[in-house]
Amino acid sequence: MKKTRKIFFVMAGGGHDTDRHYYDTIKNKRSTNELAKFLKPEEVGLLETYAHGRPYAVWGAVPGSGNIRNWEAMEPGDYVMVYRQGKIILAAEIAMKMKNPSLAEYLWQKDSEGKTWELVYFMINEVDFNIDFKKLNEYFGYKESYHPQGFMAIEQTKADQILSKYGDLISLLKKLQNGEVVEKIEVDKSRVFEVVDEEVKKQPTEHSEMQWRLIRLGLRSHFDVWVPENDKHREWNGEQFRPMVLKDFHETLDVPVYIKNIDTVWKLGQSVKAAFEVENSTAVYSGILRLSDLRALTPNSSYPLFIVAPKERKQKVFNELHRPTFSNPYLNLDKIVKYLSYDSIRNLDETVKEDPTRFDIDWLLQKAETITLS
């Protein structure tokens, strides 16, 4: 069953203290090491595991009937949109929450009434925005003049509707920020889902090597890594895939189950960070088709898509991606998909092994090739 994701509004503005708190613990993220003295050992372990050692954006709420109700409803993977003066200034994903007065006092002291923001929550995948709230109202079904108040949750029916129609919230916000066209998801999902458990035949040699290297690159980038169930038994260079990758994939309304078919997926929390298809067939078609189906289900997604193929097949990949089936305005695969050769993956993997601090997705995008016709 698909997991719903709740969407919360949080106000961060209207006073010197709030502005300072926003800078201190959202813009200036906090490490688990710094906060460990206020946490239980199991909480430290969960935080370290969830974000793979990354620092967190941290926020909290003062106890009150409405705040307690909304905070108690929060779960990992839910969205938070932070607003100030009529604008969305940040969106993020909930990683963990805890009631912790000592931690809250350390981070934010106490307010004028001696209370502190002890309903604490930790956020990942945060992105800065500057979007007039009026732009969102039509998507959420609110009147043009609507503005949220304080800390509140969007009605779940509205949240489900927007995630089902447009995909993940942060990608939608990126399109609104950039003035890009927002696409509605109009594909017949039942047709696509039929192939989820179908085993895809793959060559056990270079294909496995590329998956292994992509797994290692993802782990060194501090992401969770998913490979299809039928690939988890594979190994390369004496290393089995299964202990290195996610055991389960949690489907949500905005992250379709079809992505389980993609050769390698990097994730952080509930959010997809990159998807890779390794193509070594003569036709170089099956991997492109899987990316096409994924794109049809998530037309507003902002995470990068990659085709990894031998350099001698590069032009064939480019030609296929320029076919009208894939380059139409709804899919735009010829503009979205990037190409990486087997040799480039090998070089990246060996380079990152020597210096893991050099690697992130932006660097990978710089190394990838844009699809062009010769």
Side-chain angles (χ1 to χ4, degrees):
M1 183 178 179
K2 296 180 185 178
K3 181 184 183 298
T4 59
R5 298 177 83 172
K6 294 179 283 295
I7 302 174
F8 295 89
F9 289 122
V10 175
M11 185 172 69
H16 173 73
D17 286 346
T18 307
D19 291 343
R20 178 167 52 83
H21 294 170
Y22 183 83
Y23 178 81
D24 285 346
T25 62
I26 290 184
K27 299 299 289 182
N28 182 26
K29 295 185 284 188
R30 300 305 183 97
S31 71
T32 309
N33 285 341
E34 177 195 357
L35 306 181
K37 58 188 174 184
F38 301 101
L39 307 175
K40 299 174 183 177
E42 58 269 27
E43 292 171 337
V44 174
L46 286 171
L47 286 169
E48 286 286 350
T49 300
Y50 199 90
H52 299 276
R54 287 180 175 82
Y56 285 90
V58 190
W59 202 242
V62 173
S65 58
N67 285 353
I68 291 173
R69 181 178 64 253
N70 288 320
W71 179 83
E72 287 180 342
M74 278 184 163
E75 296 179 290
D78 289 343
Y79 289 114
V80 172
M81 287 193 288
V82 182
Y83 67 94
R84 175 193 291 158
Q85 297 177 346
K87 294 182 180 293
I88 300 296
I89 60 171
L90 181 131
E93 178 184 320
I94 295 294
M96 187 174 170
K97 67 180 181 183
M98 63 183 67
K99 186 175 182 180
N100 193 322
S102 298
L103 173 61
E105 187 172 352
Y106 168 75
L107 293 173
W108 306 299
Q109 295 82 50
K110 293 183 178 180
D111 66 12
S112 58
E113 298 179 359
K115 298 178 181 179
T116 191
W117 295 262
E118 63 190 66
L119 305 178
V120 179
Y121 46 98
F122 297 79
M123 296 177 285
I124 56 173
N125 294 322
E126 67 283 350
V127 179
D128 292 318
F129 292 104
N130 183 29
I131 303 173
D132 193 312
F133 198 85
K134 291 179 181 178
K135 289 186 177 181
L136 279 181
N137 284 336
E138 66 173 290
Y139 296 97
F140 286 105
Y142 294 133
K143 294 181 179 179
E144 185 179 352
S145 59
Y146 175 81
H147 284 282
Q149 300 293 322
F151 175 26
M152 59 172 286
I154 293 175
E155 303 97 303
Q156 195 58 49
T157 54
K158 290 184 182 294
D160 290 348
Q161 184 178 44
I162 196 168
L163 298 179
S164 296
K165 279 187 177 180
Y166 303 105
D168 79 270
L169 179 66
I170 291 176
S171 291
L172 169 63
L173 293 174
K174 286 180 178 179
K175 282 205 163 184
L176 292 176
Q177 171 102 340
N178 297 330
E180 299 174 11
V181 175
V182 175
E183 302 282 0
K184 282 187 179 180
I185 300 171
E186 297 177 347
V187 70
D188 178 1
K189 295 183 180 182
S190 62
R191 177 188 64 80
V192 179
F193 287 169
E194 288 175 357
V195 301
V196 167
D197 294 322
E198 178 182 296
E199 183 169 2
V200 180
K201 301 297 183 183
K202 298 166 183 165
Q203 296 297 323
T205 52
E206 286 189 306
H207 189 285
S208 296
E209 179 197 352
M210 290 301 109
Q211 273 187 301
W212 173 72
R213 291 187 184 276
L214 289 169
I215 291 168
R216 297 207 309 173
L217 285 168
L219 293 175
R220 288 172 183 154
S221 304
H222 307 292
F223 294 126
D224 295 312
V225 181
W226 169 265
V227 299
E229 194 64 41
N230 291 317
D231 290 352
K232 290 181 181 178
H233 70 280
R234 297 181 185 277
E235 62 177 54
W236 186 263
N237 200 33
E239 286 191 277
Q240 294 186 344
F241 290 4
R242 192 174 298 278
M244 304 167 71
V245 301
L246 287 168
K247 180 180 178 181
D248 299 305
F249 190 97
H250 299 289
E251 181 195 3
T252 61
L253 285 173
D254 55 329
V255 180
V257 70
Y258 185 80
I259 203 169
K260 291 169 68 174
N261 277 356
I262 303 300
D263 281 331
T264 308
V265 179
W266 294 353
K267 293 185 69 186
L268 182 61
Q270 298 288 340
S271 298
V272 175
K273 310 305 286 187
F276 304 83
E277 268 297 320
V278 179
E279 187 58 86
N280 61 356
S281 68
T282 302
V284 297
Y285 187 82
S286 58
I288 295 173
L289 188 60
R290 284 191 289 276
L291 289 182
S292 173
D293 283 344
L294 175 61
R295 183 67 182 170
L297 287 165
T298 58
N300 299 306
S301 60
S302 57
Y303 52 83
L305 305 177
F306 298 94
I307 285 283
V308 181
K311 60 184 178 182
E312 61 268 20
R313 308 303 298 163
K314 180 175 78 170
Q315 199 55 53
K316 178 67 172 174
V317 170
F318 287 14
N319 291 341
E320 290 291 340
L321 284 167
H322 273 281
R323 291 173 58 173
T325 301
F326 302 127
S327 61
N328 65 73
Y330 183 74
L331 295 177
N332 278 319
L333 287 190
D334 58 320
K335 298 180 177 64
I336 292 167
V337 173
K338 304 297 182 185
Y339 167 79
L340 289 161
S341 70
Y342 282 10
D343 287 341
S344 66
I345 292 295
R346 291 183 180 113
N347 291 336
L348 282 167
D349 185 34
E350 294 304 319
T351 301
V352 173
K353 184 170 67 174
E354 298 298 324
D355 183 9
T357 61
R358 291 183 58 188
F359 187 75
D360 59 23
I361 289 180
D362 288 338
W363 195 50
L364 183 65
L365 285 166
Q366 291 174 14
K367 300 295 182 182
E369 295 184 48
T370 301
I371 307 304
T372 57
L373 285 176
S374 59

